[in-house]
């Protein structure tokens, strides 16, 4: 701000050109650079921090071993070890001295309350050295002396040097963070980021701690243990580097380094006294944010007598009010001028442990977090975030009037970096955001399990062991839990393909449908359980509400959105109102939810699998009716289910016996026996999570052929009888199921076995749900059109018969409805119900052959 | 006397810092002492003794339910003070204490920060008056030393004005002996002696339960009384769960410093000191209530309670197994008496009485994935109106140690909070009526429900009750998400017709007698029982629940055959659910007779009574069907 902003734009651009060319030079010589980097990290690093002697020795090593410019060896400065720019080599001394003046010096330093507040006194005493070390000149001195900051093993010079080296050399070719999108992965990552800063002008450099760790473990340890000391050093280093490179950049304030992803702590529960004053990363959910608190950084006092002014810095939350005016020696004449004091923004944020991290039966912990300056208002209640910050413990304020103090510390975290974890859920793929970390052994056991030939059967029997048999249904649900492979065709304009498998269970009451739903809901991390009776369209999708505190309109998401990437279990699906059900159409095929409410128009992702349970309308399943007739659901919705299972009471003796055995066993077996028999629920959970994150099977050639054949066969079956028995939707279902089955096997390829199982399961489900009760054939049109082909044929026949009858009567423009019905009944061999008659009339009316008005039928 | 050991262990260790095991030793010592026969009854209980009679910094016990768990806090485990007169630095121990001595050197490098957690504990919700009374009496009788000096008329338990007058003299001696050594922990003697002086006169005017009214102590049930307590837990934090019932032995801390409730809040300090603005006033009220109302208890040792029946030995020791085996002998006879009693109460309906008995000993003994096994929710339909259900509840209350009657009137369903909800402003879990201890009898009185509109909270409450009955879980409301807490609550629903709530078993009541005056009838039945008899019933009900149970292979086979046969006869009416229920009935029936394995007879009996019950419901159905 205070830097000379008068620099004409044109000149700035022309100057900018200069660094561009060297960077292209840098591109030309990456091998030498990289080798240097390797050398130093292998050979020099252990020796580096110990003494200045190695500093001198190391360039010598470089010179002999590498073909670097000979000019470098002469005025080699530790701070510019790796200047790859030839410009630097050309005029090293003038550059080094010139740029910091116009750059680092010219740009105001912004205080970092996130690092500074609540220091312990003995540290502060010796710390005063640190601010004095700020700036280019002092850093060189510091590099010369091998002093460490009191109470730590941090040497400012070495630390700075290491960090600069890190910035210049760190390359992460396997990076998949979205922040690094558009950056060249084979170039030093952070140098590109610095370039970005020079273009965008946002003086913040986010540094991934795992990068630091992989580059220099010692530096990482220091960063974690002494963030308060190390981060300012990093700031210094990065500013020097930046202004050397982009000497004419104008920034609002000096660049601040924000490390994130410290590996120290993951869970709020594991915070303990050892973490105090260390850098930690925890995850959690924001539950409350305070209003902005202006925190005084510097107090401005003015003498009431002589108008002499003085500034006092806030030290540990207190201001030492000067008692005597230095100018006129009047006592108690100084008054605080609020307007001229310096304040910084501060916000208190309460973060609660995320529900997944909690042990069962305990309440979630909360932590207080302070955000400073531009981190204020970055997060909202309800956000799931990863916080990197410094853990603080402040003793209770001592009251001089009291002899005793509470012996408790107040703890909080001074935040350095926020990272929203659910931010990405709104766009694109996010599988990595909720990646669970598996230990080596766990992965090993999972893989061992996957290698077993009967893993599919094992897993399906481990699913809801308390529910008896229904193996195909369990297998179907198991495949649903794994899901298909997500495919993206958005470039060709078709958008995402649904990878989620939807399942409908219908059947007699009391066949443990709800229990199965409950089990699935408990098994998956992002499951939702609703009952059709109790939920409205709004409850399923999203609603807009006014936040009582901020008076802001907030979009509250409903069950479907909440179960994004999970499973939404809907019980009593048939009891749902039509309007509620209609929202499911979009969700179940497009996997999105469009909302236009109270001025908020948006499309939310709802990539959820639906597991629904429905009861037959007549309370007992009527085997003489079709599925549609039994559950009275619109066929448009029904066709969106990949698998529809009937859960019927089989009523045969062998089954009864097995059922009885199973139930009795449930009541007398001890815990250990069950453990032996079935897989642990936790293992199952991990297995599914692992497969979902790491396994993305693709169809191989044979499998594709098999699928094609299967589809053609399905079409053929029906075409023989003039019916269509498969639609592309069924093919898609088959593909999904085959993929899911491959996932169960931890296989990256979908093979013929997978297709076979998918076919079998699909057939089983069809056999149960799409059998035409009149003919006994599988007829997919029951699901797709709501009426079996035979029924449709009969309808046509009746209409034709009626038409013939009317025609045979000759010219009678109007007829009695009831009489016509009776006549038709008398004429026809088959029984004709009133419904059928009416349908036939309607069909003829559609043909414009006749009209029905009240009780009379008129010919046209 | 016991406290003396704490300081003996604390002080030298803090000074030398050489013996890190002292903490373990302290705990060992206390556990050892408390294991000794009867020794735990020497410790005064916060449940029974009004707070102002208890010595600060003395060992007390508290029978309670963990209502909420606060965030862990860091405290000064060891700190250094500077003696103003000698300028000498002294190391002190901060464990088991709330406050530090004066002149803490905050910058000392010897300071050790340690971690502890605070639990908000309330007396077991719905504890029956008889359980409170008996545990109080038994404690008072055995007590050779309690450190309070009760003068009769001041106590809030006026019921027992007998044998207490002999106590005070006996108590005084050991107590003063013990206190002679206490100054070691309190070199400045703050509060301690002063407390005695000031508290004595004031206690005459205020009973502790009276002052609790203006501060919300967050009891799960309305109308509860008793002290709530902030328990500081040092060890084994993970072993405790929300809603656990515990008997906690710990050091009482009621230092008035804790009560400083921001009275002297300086606005300028508030702006500058970050620690002040951290907490909202609501949060402060919830987390730092006045110590005189919500005392602090520093836990030394906690014993999880399997039951809170004072008539039963609580610890699973040898004398308990001896007690069990001796009681098993008379189990059958007690059962018969109890059955007769319940039959009278249920207006001569023997079958309903049988089912009620089974219900009262039911218990969720395990969970198979989501399915709770052993729950037995009973729906007693066809209850006479007027005050019958109320009287019935009173009788149930006399039998079980924990119970609550929820009158399901439209107003209560719409207005009452059943499900606990997290209050983020005060940062605490606001309790609800379904936050109950294990094996609490929840008596849902549906006869009180009238026609009318349930609002959204009413629907939520009904759903919560339904979930409780079907899955034995309560979904606590954490506003951004729900958390499922499994529970183990015996639900009894009384209704006119079939209940709108699900139930495991519905029994229509068929009164054999129609007394002209119901009140009088029930009162006379109740009065006819001797206390010793009632006590036997109480022991019986609690004990039958704890027995082990198994089914032999042979009987398993028979049961399977039976089921297959039943299905053959009538596949429509016998379903898997019926088998579930009959297995539970068979289990409870065997246990009620003191049999720990299912016999063939037991199974047949279970089948038989279930058949009777079913025919009765059928009959009821057809009756209703005939009505226009």
């Amino acid at each position: 701000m205070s830097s000379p902003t008068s620099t004409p734009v044109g000149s700035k651009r022309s100057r900018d050109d200069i660094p561009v060319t060297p960077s292209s030079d840098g591109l030309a010589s990456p091998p030498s650079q990289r080798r240097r980097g390797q050398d130093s990290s292998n050979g020099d690093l252990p020796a580096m921090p110990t003494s200045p002697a190695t500093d001198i020795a190391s360039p010598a090593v470089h010179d002999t071993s590498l073909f670097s410019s000979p000019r470098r060896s002469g005025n080699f400065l530790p701070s510019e070890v790796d200047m790859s720019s030839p410009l630097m080599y050309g005029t090293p001394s003038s550059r080094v001295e010139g740029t910091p003046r116009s750059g680092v010096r010219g740009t105001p330093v912004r205080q970092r309350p996130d690092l500074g507040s609540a220091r312990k006194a003995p540290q502060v005493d010796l710390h005063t050295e640190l601010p004095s070390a700020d700036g280019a000149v002092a850093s060189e001195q510091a590099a010369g002396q091998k002093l460490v900051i009191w109470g730590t093993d941090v040497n400012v010079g070495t630390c700075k040097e290491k960090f600069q080296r890190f910035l210049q050399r760190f390359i992460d070719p396997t990076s998949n963070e979205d922040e690094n999108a558009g950056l060249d992965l084979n170039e030093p990552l952070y140098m590109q980021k610095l370039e970005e800063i020079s273009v965008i002008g946002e003086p913040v450099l986010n540094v991934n701690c795992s990068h630091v760790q992989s580059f220099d473990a010692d530096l990482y340890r220091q960063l974690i243990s002494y963030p308060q000391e190390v981060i300012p050093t990093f700031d210094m280093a990065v500013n020097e580097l930046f202004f050397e490179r982009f000497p004419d950049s104008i920034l609002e304030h000096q660049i601040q380094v924000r490390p994130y992803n410290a590996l120290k702590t993951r869970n709020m529960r594991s915070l303990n006294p050892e973490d105090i004053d260390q850098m930690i990363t925890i995850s959690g959910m924001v539950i409350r944010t305070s209003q902005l608190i202006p925190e005084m950084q510097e107090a401005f006092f003015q003498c009431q007598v002589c108008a002499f002014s003085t500034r006092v810095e806030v030290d540990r939350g207190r201001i030492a009010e000067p008692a005597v005016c230095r100018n006129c020696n009047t006592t108690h004449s100084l008054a605080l001028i609020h307007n001229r004091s310096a304040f910084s923004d501060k916000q208190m944020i309460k973060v609660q442990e995320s529900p997944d991290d909690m042990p069962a039966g305990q309440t979630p912990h909360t932590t207080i977090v302070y955000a400073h300056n531009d981190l204020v208002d970055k997060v909202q209640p309800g956000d799931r975030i990863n916080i990197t910050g410094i853990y603080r413990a402040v003793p209770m304020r001592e009251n001089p009037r009291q002899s005793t103090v509470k012996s408790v510390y107040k703890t909080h975290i001074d935040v350095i970096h926020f990272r929203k974890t659910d931010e990405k859920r709104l766009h694109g793929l996010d599988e990595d955001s909720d990646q669970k970390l598996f230990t080596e052994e766990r992965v090993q056991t999972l893989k061992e399990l996957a290698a077993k030939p009967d893993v599919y059967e094992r897993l399906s029997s481990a699913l809801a062991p308390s529910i008896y048999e229904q193996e195909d249904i369990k297998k179907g649900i198991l495949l649903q839990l794994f899901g298909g492979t997500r495919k993206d065709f958005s470039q060709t304009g078709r958008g995402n393909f649904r990878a989620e498998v939807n399942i409908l269970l219908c059947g007699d009451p009391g066949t443990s449908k709800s229990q199965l739903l409950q089990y699935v809901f408990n098994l998956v991390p992002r499951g939702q359980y609703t009952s059709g009776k109790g939920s409205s369209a709004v409850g399923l999708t999203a609603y807009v509400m006014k936040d009582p505190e901020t008076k802001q309109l907030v979009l509250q998401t409903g069950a479907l959105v909440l179960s994004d990437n999970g499973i939404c279990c809907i019980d009593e699906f048939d009891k749902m109102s039509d309007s509620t059900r209609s929202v499911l159409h979009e969700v179940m095929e497009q996997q999105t939810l469009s909302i236009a409410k109270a001025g908020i128009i948006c499309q939310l992702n709802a990539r959820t699998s639906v597991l629904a349970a429905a009861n037959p309308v007549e309370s007992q399943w009527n085997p003489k009716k079709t599925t549609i007739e039994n559950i009275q659901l619109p066929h448009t919705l029904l066709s969106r289910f990949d698998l529809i299972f009937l859960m019927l009471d089989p009523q045969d003796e062998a089954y009864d016996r097995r059922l009885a055995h199973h139930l009795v066993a449930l009541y007398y077996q001890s815990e250990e026996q069950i453990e032996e028999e079935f897989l642990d629920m936790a293992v199952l959970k991990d297995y599914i999570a692992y497969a979902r994150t790491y396994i993305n099977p693709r169809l191989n050639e044979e499998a594709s052929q098999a699928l094609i054949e299967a589809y053609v066969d399905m079409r053929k079956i029906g075409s023989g009888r003039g019916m269509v028995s498969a639609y592309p939707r069924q093919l898609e279902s088959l593909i999904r199921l085959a993929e899911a089955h491959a996932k169960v096997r931890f296989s990256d390829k979908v093979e013929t076995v997978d297709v076979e199982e998918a076919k079998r399961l699909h057939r089983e489900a069809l056999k149960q749900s799409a059998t035409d009760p009149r003919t006994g054939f599988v007829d997919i049109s029951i699901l797709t059109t709501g009426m079996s082909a035979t029924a449709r044929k009969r309808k046509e026949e009746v209409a034709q018969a009626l038409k013939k009858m009317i025609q045979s009567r000759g010219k009678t423009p109007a007829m009695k409805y009831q009489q016509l019905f009776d006549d038709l009944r008398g004429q026809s061999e088959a029984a004709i119900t009133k419904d059928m008659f009416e349908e036939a009339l309607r069909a003829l009316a559609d043909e414009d052959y006749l009209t029905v008005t009240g009780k009379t039928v008129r010919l046209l | 006397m016991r406290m003396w050991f704490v300081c003996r262990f604390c002080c030298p260790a803090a000074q030398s810092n050489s013996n890190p095991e002292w903490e373990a030793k302290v705990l060992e010592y206390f556990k050892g002492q408390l294991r000794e026969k009867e020794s735990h009854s020497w410790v005064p209980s916060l449940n029974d003794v009004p707070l102002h009679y208890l010595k600060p910094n003395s060992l007390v016990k508290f029978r309670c339910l963990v209502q909420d768990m606060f965030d862990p806090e860091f405290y000064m485990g060891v700190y250094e003070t500077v003696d103003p007169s000698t300028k000498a630095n002294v190391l002190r121990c901060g464990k088991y204490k709330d406050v530090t001595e004066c002149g803490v050197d905050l910058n000392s490098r010897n300071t050790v920060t340690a971690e502890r957690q605070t639990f908000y504990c309330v007396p077991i919700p719905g504890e029956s008056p008889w359980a409170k009374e008996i545990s109080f009496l038994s404690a008072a009788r055995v007590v050779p030393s309690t450190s309070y000096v009760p003068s009769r008329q001041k106590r809030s338990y006026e019921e027992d004005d007998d044998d207490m007058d002999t106590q005070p003299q006996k108590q005084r001696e050991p107590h003063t002996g013990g206190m002679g050594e206490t100054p070691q922990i309190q070199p400045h003697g703050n509060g301690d002696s002063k407390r005695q002086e000031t508290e004595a006169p004031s206690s005459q005017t205020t009973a502790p339960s009276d002052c609790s009214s203006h501060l919300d102590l967050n009891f799960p049930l309305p109308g509860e009384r008793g002290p709530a307590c902030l328990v500081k837990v040092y060890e084994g934090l993970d072993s405790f769960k929300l809603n656990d019932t515990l008997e906690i032995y710990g050091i009482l801390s009621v230092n008035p410093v804790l009560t400083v409730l921001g009275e002297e809040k300086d606005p300028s300090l508030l702006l500058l000191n970050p620690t002040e603005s951290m907490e909202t006033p609501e949060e402060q009220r919830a987390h730092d209530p006045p110590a005189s109302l919500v005392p602090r208890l520093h836990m030394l040792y906690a014993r999880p309670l399997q039951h809170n029946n004072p008539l039963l030995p609580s610890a699973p020791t040898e004398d308990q197994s001896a007690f069990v085996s001796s009681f098993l002998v008379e189990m059958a006879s007690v059962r018969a008496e109890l059955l007769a009693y319940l039959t009278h109460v249920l207006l001569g309906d023997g079958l309903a009485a049988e089912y009620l008995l089974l219900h009262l000993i039911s218990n969720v003994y395990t969970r198979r994935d989501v399915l709770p096994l052993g729950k037995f929710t009973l729906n007693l339909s066809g209850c006479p109106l007027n005050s019958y259900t109320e009287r019935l509840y009173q009788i149930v209350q006399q039998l079980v140690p924990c119970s609550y009657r929820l009158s399901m009137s439209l107003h209560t369903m719409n207005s009452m909070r059943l499900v606990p909800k997290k209050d983020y402003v005060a940062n605490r879990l606001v309790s609800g009526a379904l936050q109950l201890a294990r094996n609490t009898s929840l008596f849902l009185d549906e006869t009180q429900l009238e026609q009318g509109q349930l609002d959204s909270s009413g629907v939520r409450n009904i759903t919560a009750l339904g979930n409780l009955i079907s899955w034995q879980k309560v979904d606590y409301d954490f506003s951004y998400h729900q958390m499922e807490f499994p529970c183990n609550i015996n639900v009894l629903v009384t209704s006119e017709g079939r209940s709108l709530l699900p139930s495991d078993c519905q029994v229509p009541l068929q009164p054999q007698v129609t007394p002209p005056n119901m009140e009088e009838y029930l009162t006379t039945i109740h009065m006819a029982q001797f206390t010793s008899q009632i006590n036997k019933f109480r022991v019986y009900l609690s004990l039958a629940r704890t027995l082990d149970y198994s089914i032999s292979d042979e009987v398993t086979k028979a049961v399977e055959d039976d089921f297959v046969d039943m299905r053959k006869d009538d596949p429509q009416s016998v379903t898997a659910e019926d088998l579930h229920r009959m297995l539970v009935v068979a289990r409870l029936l065997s246990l009620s007779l003191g049999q720990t394995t299912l016999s063939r007879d037991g199974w047949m009996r279970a089948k038989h009574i279930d058949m009777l019950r079913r025919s009765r419901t059928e009959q009821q159905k057809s009756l209703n069907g005939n009505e226009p």
Side-chain angles (χ1 to χ4, degrees), chain B residues 316-332:
Chain B
T317 49
E318 309 90 62
D319 52 312
Q320 196 203 9
S321 51
F323 182 84
V324 170
S325 48
S326 68
F327 196 83
L328 271 180
V329 183
E330 45 174 346
M331 201 109 173

Side-chain angles (χ1 to χ4, degrees), chain B residues 510-548:
Chain B
Q510 287 184 345
Q512 307 297 313
V513 284
T514 37
N517 189 339
M518 193 72 84
E519 291 269 328
E520 209 174 284
Y521 173 77
L522 289 172
T523 320
T524 41
I525 293 173
H526 181 57
M527 294 311 273
Q529 298 293 325
F530 295 111
T531 320
S532 62
Q533 192 68 20
I534 293 272
N535 276 352
K536 250 186 204 165
F537 294 163
R538 289 165 180 166
V539 173
Y540 168 80
L541 289 176
S542 295
L543 196 68
R545 180 176 279 157
T546 59
L547 294 178
D548 283 330

Side-chain angles (χ1 to χ4, degrees), chain B residues 318-361:
Chain B
E318 309 90 62
D319 52 312
Q320 196 203 9
S321 51
F323 182 84
V324 170
S325 48
S326 68
F327 196 83
L328 271 180
V329 183
E330 45 174 346
M331 201 109 173
S333 66
V334 178
R335 182 187 195 275
E337 285 165 33
L338 178 57
L339 194 63
Y341 175 58
L342 289 178
T343 310
H344 277 300
V345 170
L346 293 172
L347 309 174
D349 186 342
L351 187 67
E354 183 101 37
Y355 271 95
L356 180 60
L357 191 145
L358 298 185
H359 163 77
L360 288 175
I361 62 167

Side-chain angles (χ1 to χ4, degrees), chain A residues 582-642:
Chain A
S582 66
V583 303
L584 285 168
H585 281 106
E586 189 190 348
V587 172
M588 288 177 62
E589 201 55 59
Q590 273 70 43
Q591 307 269 288
T592 53
L593 256 178
S594 306
I595 289 158
K597 259 193 200 101
I600 297 178
I601 298 169
C602 62
Q603 197 172 41
L604 299 170
N605 272 329
R607 290 156 301 183
T608 164
S609 309
V610 174
L611 176 62
N615 286 322
V617 178
E618 301 165 24
S619 82
Q620 206 76 27
W621 188 268
N622 185 345
K624 293 190 187 66
K625 286 183 168 179
T626 63
T627 312
I628 302 268
E629 286 161 340
N630 260 313
I631 50 179
Q632 294 285 331
L633 283 175
H635 54 83
T636 45
L637 195 56
L638 223 47
S639 68
R640 284 171 162 83
F641 285 103
D642 296 86

Side-chain angles (χ1 to χ4, degrees), chain A residues 718-733:
Chain A
S719 66
R721 298 191 304 275
M723 301 183 289
V724 185
S725 56
Y727 290 91
R729 252 194 195 143
Q730 269 73 42
L731 178 59
E732 282 176 23
S733 295

